[in-house]
Amino acid sequence: MSKRSLLAALSFAAFTSLGLPDGVIGVAWPSIRIAFGVPLDALGVLVAVTTVGYLASSFLGGAVMRALPIGSLLALSTAAAATALLGFVLAPAWPLMVALGFLAGLGGGAVDASLNAYGAAHFSARTLNWLHAFFGLGTTIGPLVVTAVLGAGLSWRWSYLVVGAAQMLLAMTFFATRERWHHDAKGASGAAPPASAARTIDTLRRLPVWLGMATFFFYSGVELAVAQWSYSLLTLGRGVPDTTAGLFVSLYWGSLMLGRVLFGAVADRLPLALSLRLCLVASIMGAMLLWLGPTRELSLLGLMMMGFFLAPIFASLISLTPDRVGREHANSAIGFQIASAALGGAALTGLIGVLTRSFGLEIIGLAVVVTALILLALHEAFLRSGDSK
């Protein structure tokens, strides 16, 4: 196996491992809360603390990558996440679970930011899209692990033992291959090796960096708001049966993963900026179908259109970032983008929830349409900002 193929394979494995905990927690939570005697909404505390750790490490990703070689950073970050997950297996009290959640977030955010930055410099748009498709694979496998564990009559802790052990094995692999990551090679896309990294404060002075952060904030807001609120809209607002609505949401996630796989296959043969513009317009059309909901079938079509056409946006914008912000600023800028995406997903999903209290569930569709329109405008501004200082 060539060096580039090995590193790409390890990156795929890392993104799969990033998705595993996200898939595990939702199914395991009822058992976890009973074990610790905490209320149902205590999940919000664990998720919030994990997100704080994730935001901290991803936002500071550029600075950390200047201090540590990429191979060592991946090994340490994955080991930190694995330690937290294995700690869940033994945690005797809820406060320790929450503290370990912060450590898991720190590790996951560092892996996400560093691999996206490395991928932007060394992988093609095709490989980056496939990289993010593997995250979807992880979120799909996670619930299956918990279901199998609980179905066998075992404690939920065994789920985290399986996932944590897999991540620790990955950390050991990163450590064994760390020297292979340290040599900058010409990327598969033909891009030149990145320039010396700029200071974080200098990167934050650039307009394209802020436009990129705003674009990722609203992208993640659209993607997660649809995932989190469409089930409630369909069941509570439109009377769709629970099982049917659950299938609709599953098809949304499936369309997102399928879109990344298929777009990855053709990404290197298409004009990337034009392709993303068309995808965003098509996703807005899907959002309008979800909002107006003329029939149940067209609502489903709208959901699937959104999933499929939003699919290539995240990874492809990562691929375009070095040319937009300057290669010396790329590592820090991509870390900021990852942090903004996490913040946007949480903030906009929460905002839509607040709006439903005043305007009812049908506001969800309109809010998604407006957010998608803002995303398109920011995308255009970001792509035109490459020469801005």
Side-chain angles (χ1 to χ4, degrees):
M1 180 182 290
S2 69
K3 173 186 172 181
R4 185 172 297 155
S5 297
L6 172 63
L7 299 186
L10 288 174
S11 299
F12 292 155
F15 261 70
T16 303
S17 76
L18 278 176
L20 283 172
D22 289 350
V24 167
I25 186 63
V27 181
W29 176 244
S31 301
I32 294 173
R33 81 163 189 103
I34 291 172
F36 291 107
V38 295
L40 190 64
D41 60 4
L43 175 62
V45 176
L46 179 60
V47 171
V49 170
T50 303
T51 301
V52 169
Y54 195 95
L55 288 171
S57 59
S58 55
F59 190 84
L60 296 173
V64 175
M65 280 183 273
R66 290 197 299 273
L68 280 176
I70 179 70
S72 300
L73 175 58
L74 288 170
L76 290 172
S77 301
T78 308
T83 299
L85 295 174
L86 292 173
F88 288 170
V89 178
L90 301 173
W94 174 244
L96 181 57
M97 281 285 291
V98 174
L100 289 169
F102 181 77
L103 179 61
L106 280 177
V111 172
D112 199 354
S114 58
L115 273 181
N116 272 295
Y118 185 89
H122 300 288
F123 296 153
S124 64
R126 175 182 62 185
T127 303
L128 273 174
N129 272 278
W130 286 346
L131 192 66
H132 285 265
F134 272 81
F135 178 86
L137 178 62
T139 59
T140 301
I141 293 174
L144 298 178
V145 171
V146 186
T147 301
V149 166
L150 298 180
L154 299 173
S155 166
W156 58 270
R157 295 179 188 269
W158 284 90
S159 305
Y160 283 101
L161 178 62
V162 171
V163 174
Q167 288 214 5
M168 189 60 75
L169 179 61
L170 181 62
M172 293 166 59
T173 305
F174 278 137
F175 182 78
T177 60
R178 65 192 183 282
E179 296 299 330
R180 299 195 179 203
W181 296 85
H182 297 171
H183 304 289
D184 289 331
K186 189 174 182 181
S189 60
S196 298
R199 296 183 305 165
T200 301
I201 189 63
D202 293 332
T203 300
L204 283 170
R205 292 192 177 107
R206 293 180 59 81
L207 175 62
V209 171
W210 287 96
L211 288 171
M213 291 166 64
T215 303
F216 278 79
F217 182 95
F218 279 92
Y219 168 81
S220 189
V222 171
E223 180 189 298
L224 290 180
V226 172
Q228 300 297 336
W229 286 113
S230 56
Y231 183 86
S232 297
L233 172 63
L234 294 171
T235 55
L236 302 178
R238 298 179 181 175
V240 176
D242 292 354
T243 53
T244 303
L247 176 62
F248 282 14
V249 176
S250 296
L251 289 173
Y252 167 76
W253 282 118
S255 298
L256 191 74
M257 187 164 65
L258 178 64
R260 285 171 175 165
V261 172
L262 294 181
F263 190 84
V266 299
D268 295 340
R269 298 192 291 271
L270 296 174
L272 199 52
L274 175 60
S275 299
L276 296 185
R277 183 176 299 120
L278 294 175
C279 284
L280 284 169
V281 170
S283 71
I284 292 171
M285 295 172 61
M288 293 184 70
L289 283 176
L290 177 64
W291 171 36
L292 300 174
T295 66
R296 185 178 299 179
E297 291 73 18
L298 288 176
S299 294
L300 172 60
L301 176 62
L303 270 176
M304 294 184 68
M305 285 179 64
M306 290 202 72
F308 186 83
F309 289 109
L310 285 173
I313 306 300
F314 194 105
S316 299
L317 285 178
I318 290 287
S319 180
L320 290 170
T321 292
D323 289 335
R324 299 277 73 79
V325 305
R327 294 189 174 275
E328 68 276 17
H329 299 282
N331 286 354
S332 289
I334 290 171
F336 300 157
Q337 290 168 352
I338 300 300
S340 297
L343 184 61
L348 293 179
T349 298
L351 175 60
I352 290 175
V354 172
L355 292 175
T356 61
R357 297 178 188 173
S358 301
F359 301 101
L361 288 167
E362 285 299 327
I363 197 65
I364 294 170
L366 176 59
V368 168
V369 171
V370 171
T371 306
L373 287 169
I374 294 173
L375 172 61
L376 175 61
L378 287 168
H379 167 266
E380 294 302 306
F382 179 56
L383 292 187
R384 288 173 168 77
S385 67
D387 294 329
S388 301
K389 302 296 181 185

